[in-house]
Amino acid sequence: MLSFEAARAKVIEVIGSRAAYDPRVHGATTVDIAHRPATALGRILAEDVTADRNYPPFDRSIRDGYALRAADDTVTFKYVVRAVAQQHGLRASFLPKPIFGVQGSGMHVHQALIDAETGRNLFFDPEDEYQLSPLARHFIAGQLAHARGMCAILAPLVNSYKRLVPGFEAPSYVSWARINRSALIRVPQTRSGDPDETRIELRCPDPSCNPYLAFAVMLGAGLDGIERELPLQEPLEENIAGFEPALLAEHNVRPLPASLDEALRELQRDEVICEILGHEVLERFLAAKAIEWEEYRTQVTPWEIKRYLPDY
């Protein structure tokens, strides 16, 4: 089996040379696939190779594509990574939380709305503190309003909710910010006056999601905010994980669902997200996930045996 360094070099060499991973077309969606496999490959995201904090990783980003093209590229990227890993005796996994106690695998999605005729970034406003237009603020407000309802689509596994916990730079509360990496939505710092760089980053999706369904509900939630002109709450740059319940209530901060079961119940309550998915897709998704949750709920895990057997 290849060493980690040899495997990482091979994946960079092969994937970095594939045209499919440089889809620099004019568009609205950037996908960062944070990948921590269960074997030696480390963490992968899609454009620039960078280091993480816990163990040897590298990141790649799928950039600048219309939503459908970005979804196609996300599926292709995962397929190629798995194929390359298999060729070298490795297994590439996109499981959201494969290892206890370290950061999980996220799929951060960067979004902007682009004028189809002029190519102008409709999220940009040079006069705003965050360079966000009123339309962008309504879009963010829409995604925050529907965050709990669309979470089951964006984080669809039982294991997904082992990642969405405090302490690992993954969001666990519904908020937005610029610097705070625990926020659900971030507005990345951009070069002053560059409208093309203005975007928002949704941080709760993970690589196990269906990108076609995920991008559909994300866009639909944002557009609902625009249609209803929802006001955007103030950003929170503080570490929300340390807030007392009274302070969370004061800032009107809600938690994300803590389990797949809770996320499925929130999905069924959200009429907008249900309408976006359509009756047939929604019905089949809920039925499949109900079976998955019931299988998990009735398991007796090694943690339970270790924790309780000596005392009971």
Side-chain angles (χ1 to χ4, degrees), residues 149-200:
M150 64 182 176
C151 201
I153 302 297
L154 306 180
L157 302 184
V158 166
N159 181 259
S160 297
Y161 297 86
K162 309 295 177 69
R163 169 182 167 258
L164 299 177
V165 296
F168 298 98
E169 292 193 1
S172 53
Y173 292 95
V174 180
S175 67
W176 75 282
R178 165 157 284 169
I179 300 172
N180 187 355
R181 291 186 175 273
S182 66
L184 176 63
I185 294 177
R186 287 183 64 238
V187 180
Q189 192 81 36
T190 63
R191 289 175 293 184
S192 179
D194 188 345
D196 291 336
E197 291 194 359
T198 299
R199 64 197 186 278
I200 68 170

Side-chain angles (χ1 to χ4, degrees), residues 10 27-28 67 71-72 109 118 134 147 154 190 195 203 213 219 235 238 286 302:
K10 174 54 68 175
D72 289 342
V109 183
T118 67
L154 306 180
T190 63
R203 298 171 59 83
L213 297 182
L219 289 170
E238 299 91 344
L286 290 174

Side-chain angles (χ1 to χ4, degrees), residues 299-312:
Q299 291 295 313
V300 178
T301 66
W303 181 89
E304 293 170 276
I305 299 299
K306 181 179 178 180
R307 174 66 178 81
Y308 297 122
L309 193 60
D311 296 328
Y312 298 93

Side-chain angles (χ1 to χ4, degrees), residues 62-78:
I62 300 171
R63 285 190 56 86
D64 295 316
Y66 295 111
L68 181 58
R69 173 67 182 272
D72 289 342
D73 290 339
T74 300
V75 172
T76 305
F77 173 78
K78 292 167 65 177

Side-chain angles (χ1 to χ4, degrees), residues 258-295:
S259 67
L260 178 62
D261 180 53
E262 183 181 353
L264 293 173
R265 286 186 270 114
E266 290 294 327
L267 170 59
Q268 293 176 81
R269 294 190 186 104
D270 195 315
E271 295 180 0
V272 171
I273 302 302
C274 289
E275 183 179 355
I276 292 167
L277 293 171
H279 176 73
E280 184 174 356
V281 170
L282 177 65
E283 186 178 58
R284 289 176 179 270
F285 180 84
L286 290 174
K289 291 300 168 180
I291 293 172
E292 181 179 335
W293 174 255
E294 187 63 17
E295 289 177 352

